[in-house]
Amino acid sequence: MSHKRIPKRKAAAAVGAVVALGAAAILLPSANASQDGASDGAAAAPRTLKAGDASDLATRLSGMLGDAYAGAWYDGEDKRLVVNVVRGEDGMALKARSAGAEVREVDNSMAELEAGAGTLTSEATIPGTSWAVDPRTNKILVTADSTVTGAKWDQLESAVESLGPGMATLEKSAGTFRTFASGGDAIFAGGARCSLGFNVTAGDGSPAFLTAGHCAAAGDQWSDQQGGEPIATVDQALFPGAGDFALLTYDDPATEAPSEVNVGGQTVPIVQAAEATVGQQVFRMGSTTGLADGQVLGLNATVNYPEGTVTGLIQTDVCAEPGDSGGSLFTQDGLAIGLTSGGSGDCTVGGETFFQPVTTALEAVGATLGDGGAGAGDQAAGQEQGAGQEAGDGAAGAEDQAGAGDQAGAEDQAGAEDQAGAEDHAGGQDAGAGQDGAGAQDGTGTDPGRHSDQDSGLTRTH
């Protein structure tokens, strides 16, 4: 996420060297604009939709179908919204088809799945566990990291079994759940490093930005350079609890705060905030690992970090590492989706990751997206196509970059002296990359590109 001060600081393009090959190949101009294609007489045929429109349709159907609605997901290959309707609700299924969705009849209602998640909250709130409703399986996906063993595993397994057959799936993660501190443009405070997520306009009209709430534990004042003068101050923050987000206001009211994400020498315009949809393809930008892509796996996820339980998150398979917290989760159409919170694994072996929904954060802090004060629904529809074009331009040629598959390493960032904090990445001198919010070392060392703590237990937040 780019941010500028007066006078404007020159940005370096070195982050492009760590852009993921897979992400770059996909982040190209897309012609998947919404296509109705069907006449009124053929309304029962599933509509071809882009992800943002599918999310809007899912929201409408959720209210329209009531108790018959059991979740939805986006089929990216066929570009269709698939909606679960409780078996036997033929009238509601017809309504969903008429609205343009593909319908699948299922056994578990959303109320039953949410009740199951409530049971897990009361009986299995164990650090290193998470759960979210997976509409593709019509079950609750329960995940335990490598620290959940012995009696803890038995407790979790018993809680899952108590839900009854066909209600939940229990999986084991090879990594450990922890918060990730770093992101789009690097920001620093109290020896810690996080990432700027999205520039916004605060309720009083002043320029501000969103990042992860757990980052605020490192200090109230943040800089865009390690050891530099503060540029922003924490205004509001939440972590743990019903979210992981913070609003920081720029100290200089003349700060330019463009609504865009820096993907390495190029920027992707962000046109609006949007709700995530299961199956949707998303991209994450982080100051440690650069650009990565993946899919949304679940919504309203609960994650039990060592610091406490966080609810209402987005679960994905997009990789991330310590140093990526607060970074931007967005789509190629320029939709702001989430802020990096935490997860397990790394960008070598993959893992589970969790994100704070941008829409929820904006509502909670009373901010609007972008320097123009435009909210989630106030953007011109034509801007989305331009955002997709910019995204493609930013990734053009990235397929040929050496070492794209090794983006987790920081050695490819050498020479990026003008990139905020990048000079410290190359030499492994970033003091915040291996520290928690109180400034204590977590045992990962000082190289933000390579962390060895994924198998050594859950770390504390920055």
Side-chain angles (χ1 to χ4, degrees):
M1 184 65 186
S2 175
H3 65 284
K4 307 169 188 175
R5 290 181 292 154
I6 309 292
K8 178 180 176 182
R9 182 172 63 84
K10 182 180 179 182
V15 176
V18 295
V19 173
L21 179 61
I26 299 170
L27 194 57
L28 295 171
S30 174
N32 63 335
S34 221
Q35 302 173 25
D36 231 333
S39 66
D40 291 341
R47 294 170 54 197
T48 298
L49 301 166
K50 67 180 185 177
D53 291 335
S55 177
D56 291 341
L57 178 57
T59 299
R60 293 199 303 271
L61 288 175
S62 174
M64 181 189 303
L65 303 182
D67 294 340
Y69 178 82
W73 81 95
Y74 183 61
D75 182 341
E77 183 174 347
D78 292 333
K79 295 182 172 58
R80 294 176 177 178
L81 178 71
V82 182
V83 175
N84 291 335
V85 176
V86 176
R87 201 176 305 279
E89 294 282 356
D90 296 339
M92 293 301 179
L94 179 60
K95 284 187 177 182
R97 290 191 182 95
S98 298
E102 180 178 329
V103 172
R104 188 183 70 156
E105 293 187 343
V106 297
D107 294 322
N108 298 323
S109 69
M110 186 59 68
E112 290 171 330
L113 293 170
E114 290 176 349
T119 298
L120 294 172
T121 298
S122 62
E123 298 182 7
T125 299
I126 303 166
T129 61
S130 71
W131 47 83
V133 172
D134 180 1
R136 288 173 293 191
T137 62
N138 190 227
K139 297 179 181 180
I140 304 168
L141 174 60
V142 184
T143 307
D145 73 11
S146 60
T147 68
V148 181
T149 59
K152 292 180 180 179
W153 172 262
D154 293 341
Q155 178 184 349
L156 179 63
E157 192 173 40
S158 176
V160 169
E161 290 177 352
S162 73
L163 301 180
M167 282 293 294
T169 301
L170 177 58
E171 296 183 354
K172 187 77 170 178
S173 172
T176 57
F177 291 159
R178 74 253 194 227
T179 51
F180 294 137
S182 208
D185 280 352
I187 53 175
F188 304 85
R193 176 169 59 87
C194 278
S195 300
L196 190 153
F198 297 98
N199 279 323
V200 299
T201 301
D204 62 1
S206 60
F209 65 85
L210 295 174
T211 190
H214 67 262
C215 293
D220 289 335
Q221 295 185 308
W222 287 77
S223 171
D224 58 357
Q225 299 181 43
Q226 187 176 16
E229 291 295 319
I231 65 164
T233 302
V234 175
D235 181 78
Q236 301 178 56
L238 176 64
F239 176 83
D244 183 5
F245 56 86
L247 176 71
L248 283 72
T249 55
Y250 286 104
D251 296 336
D252 182 355
T255 297
E256 298 177 20
S259 186
E260 59 190 29
V261 174
N262 179 2
V263 295
Q266 296 289 329
T267 58
V268 177
I270 298 299
V271 297
Q272 67 183 63
E275 300 288 347
T277 303
V278 171
Q280 181 180 26
Q281 183 170 27
V282 286
F283 297 84
R284 177 198 54 74
M285 189 64 192
S287 64
T288 295
T289 56
L291 185 67
D293 75 291
Q295 286 192 352
V296 175
L297 301 180
L299 306 178
N300 197 26
T302 296
V303 187
N304 296 300
Y305 292 123
E307 300 82 11
T309 298
V310 181
T311 60
L313 301 183
I314 301 166
Q315 183 171 352
T316 81
D317 61 4
V318 184
C319 77
E321 297 187 9
D324 286 332
S325 279
S328 320
L329 186 73
F330 60 100
T331 71
Q332 67 178 14
D333 294 325
L335 302 178
I337 300 297
L339 307 166
T340 307
S341 175
S344 69
D346 55 36
C347 286
T348 299
V349 300
E352 301 80 18
T353 45
F354 302 95
F355 295 82
Q356 164 65 46
V358 170
T359 53
T360 305
L362 288 172
E363 182 178 3
V365 301
T368 50
L369 187 69
D371 55 349
D378 300 330
Q379 303 290 342
Q383 287 181 294
E384 293 191 10
Q385 182 174 358
Q389 179 66 52
E390 289 279 357
D393 293 342
E399 297 89 337
D400 299 325
Q401 292 186 22
D406 297 323
Q407 63 169 334
E411 60 273 27
D412 293 330
Q413 297 188 38
E417 287 84 358
D418 293 328
Q419 178 73 24
E423 65 271 27
D424 301 315
H425 300 178
Q429 299 300 314
D430 182 352
Q435 298 179 6
D436 62 24
Q441 291 287 348
D442 64 6
T444 65
T446 56
D447 182 350
R450 291 292 182 188
H451 294 264
S452 59
D453 61 345
Q454 64 262 30
D455 296 320
S456 62
L458 297 172
T459 66
R460 295 178 61 202
T461 179
H462 281 145

